Amino acid sequence: HSTLVKIDAHDGGREELLLAIVLNHPHVLDDDLESFATITFNNRQLDKLRNQILSTIESDLDLDRDTLLNHVKEQGLALIVERLLGSAVVKTNRFTAPEADQSAVKNGWEDLIRRMSSIEMLHNDFLAAQEAYAKSETEENWARIVALKVQIQKLEQYQDQ
């Protein structure tokens, strides 16, 4: 059983959904390339795919779906792409599909970017809170850790309808 595109319980499938949107609707990067480029991916294989997409788009900013898919597959990522686009999380979130309504694609994209950025910021705050608590074991520092953990868990439980 391969783990090439294993859904990471930690991210609720957001990495897969984000990549599926980009592969099926590369135009979403026209206005938001920086967000896509700077979000941290936890899955190394998916990060490799993201980096290949970025490299491909750098050389041709006006790619359509078929051209992008073909190029990424030619770079040795065909199996990852196939598993990603065939995964249950992608298939059940219709806004990632090639035939999806463009407003649904845009809304799904914006929501994913916002949630992933928020989670990343909260994780950084959580690490800082842990460091503060390690230096000074006060109730205030502990309460901050607990509050941040609750916020992170709420955001990480996200699953699109």
Side-chain angles (χ1 to χ4, degrees), residues 18-84:
L18 203 64
L19 286 166
I21 291 173
V22 171
L23 288 170
N24 287 327
H25 306 276
H27 60 84
V28 298
L29 296 178
D30 292 348
D31 299 323
D32 212 359
L33 183 61
E34 185 176 345
S35 295
F36 181 66
T38 57
I39 284 182
T40 302
F41 275 55
N42 295 313
N43 182 304
R44 282 183 278 142
Q45 293 297 321
L46 296 178
D47 191 44
K48 183 177 178 181
L49 176 58
R50 187 258 308 257
N51 289 331
Q52 184 58 56
I53 291 169
L54 289 169
S55 175
T56 302
I57 288 187
E58 259 180 31
S59 61
D60 184 359
L61 295 174
D62 195 30
L63 288 175
D64 64 14
R65 176 183 185 271
D66 292 336
T67 306
L68 177 59
L69 283 170
N70 288 335
H71 185 77
V72 170
K73 287 177 180 180
E74 287 169 3
Q75 300 306 308
L77 300 173
L79 185 58
I80 294 171
V81 169
E82 288 172 25
R83 290 190 179 177
L84 168 72

Side-chain angles (χ1 to χ4, degrees), residues 23 33 40 43-45 51 67 74 104 108 110 112 118 121 124 128-129 133 136 138 141 145 148 154 156 159:
L23 288 170
L33 183 61
T40 302
N43 182 304
R44 282 183 278 142
Q45 293 297 321
N51 289 331
T67 306
E74 287 169 3
E110 290 172 352
L112 283 166
S118 295
M121 286 189 301
N124 291 337
Y133 185 75
S136 176
T138 65
N141 285 342
I145 287 173
L148 286 166
K154 284 181 182 176
E156 286 180 341
Q159 288 293 330

